[in-house]
Amino acid sequence: MLLAYDLWAFVSENHEELLDGLLNTLKVSGFAIAGALVIGAVLGAARAHRIPVVSQLTVVYVELIRNTPILVQIFMIFYALPQFGIVFDQFTVAWLSVMIWGGAFNSENFRAGFEAVPSRYREAGYALGFSRLATFVNVTLPIGGRIALPSSINTYISVLKNTSLMYVIGYAELTTTALNISNLTLQTTEALTVLAIVYLTLVWSLSALIRLLESRLALPEAR
């Protein structure tokens, strides 16, 4: 009871700051997830269809991002790029860094999904007179996208959770806001508990939403 009272008091006293931090987290996550979806679909298609140059560049991008810590990537964008005259504000660095990270993982999700589409489906598209692009848009993309959806869920959830790393650049998302309040009030336990509850709620909600979408888009034989 005492902990519940302390948590309620902590939220009540700092609700405006926490709400602003939550909104910033949702904005960054929204931009990053949408961008990771586009990057994943485009580069995944390039790899699955082995498009010259683009496919090779995608391999380099994926290997570079997947084999380096995301904190290093954030520091590179925020601290290293300004040395070359490329300067972004904190909000841009926040969504751009997690979008680039999520796009690398998502491209592999979509590549696997597109490659899993049976060749007979594409051959049927060609037999109907579809061009290669039309076959991809009307056959490979709808089916492969559905196949890739379950593995993409984990990527989107990780993108959401990785927004908490923006405290290293001082961007006022939820984690940064809660830690700043904790440093001022010394209510560390309350701040961390509220963070855990909010992130659990966000992740469960996002997962449930995507699972619902997955069930609605499931292939007929998978239902």
Side-chain angles (χ1 to χ4, degrees):
M1 287 295 294
L2 182 59
L3 178 60
Y5 175 80
D6 290 340
L7 290 177
W8 178 252
F10 178 81
V11 172
S12 298
E13 294 169 3
N14 305 284
H15 68 278
E16 292 184 0
E17 294 87 347
L18 292 172
L19 181 59
D20 288 340
L22 175 60
L23 292 176
N24 286 337
T25 292
L26 294 176
K27 286 192 295 184
V28 170
S29 299
F31 275 92
I33 290 174
L37 171 62
V38 174
I39 292 173
V42 173
L43 298 187
R47 288 205 64 191
H49 290 81
R50 294 171 176 79
I51 298 176
V53 181
V54 179
S55 181
Q56 286 76 18
L57 291 176
T58 299
V59 172
V60 174
Y61 160 62
V62 170
E63 291 300 315
L64 180 64
I65 297 300
R66 292 180 64 178
N67 291 291
T68 57
I70 186 173
L71 274 177
V72 173
Q73 299 163 24
I74 295 170
F75 287 145
M76 287 292 292
I77 295 174
F78 191 71
Y79 293 111
L81 289 184
Q83 304 298 318
F84 301 95
I86 305 174
V87 181
F88 298 114
D89 59 30
Q90 291 174 315
F91 173 68
T92 302
V93 172
W95 67 259
L96 184 62
S97 56
V98 287
M99 181 190 74
I100 292 173
W101 181 91
F105 283 83
N106 225 18
S107 65
E108 288 297 284
N109 297 334
F110 276 94
R111 178 189 63 81
F114 294 150
E115 291 181 346
V117 177
S119 59
R120 66 180 184 274
Y121 291 173
R122 293 190 293 273
E123 292 169 358
Y126 298 144
L128 291 172
F130 287 166
S131 65
R132 188 177 182 184
L133 178 59
T135 300
F136 173 78
V137 172
N138 293 283
V139 179
T140 307
L141 179 60
I143 299 175
R146 294 176 184 184
I147 296 173
L149 187 56
S151 57
S152 299
I153 294 174
N154 292 331
T155 299
Y156 301 138
I157 289 174
S158 295
V159 165
L160 171 61
K161 292 190 294 186
N162 282 342
T163 61
S164 64
L165 297 175
M166 296 309 138
Y167 77 90
V168 298
I169 62 172
Y171 179 67
E173 44 72 55
L174 184 61
T175 298
T176 304
T177 301
L179 292 179
N180 287 341
I181 295 172
S182 168
N183 292 334
L184 291 173
T185 63
L186 301 182
Q187 294 176 293
T188 304
T189 302
E190 292 84 348
L192 295 179
T193 304
V194 168
L195 271 181
I197 293 173
V198 173
Y199 278 115
L200 278 172
T201 303
L202 290 176
V203 169
W204 280 340
S205 299
L206 178 61
S207 180
L209 180 62
I210 298 178
R211 293 293 182 189
L212 176 62
L213 178 63
E214 180 186 359
S215 66
R216 294 295 182 89
L217 296 178
L219 297 172
E221 60 267 26
R223 289 175 175 168

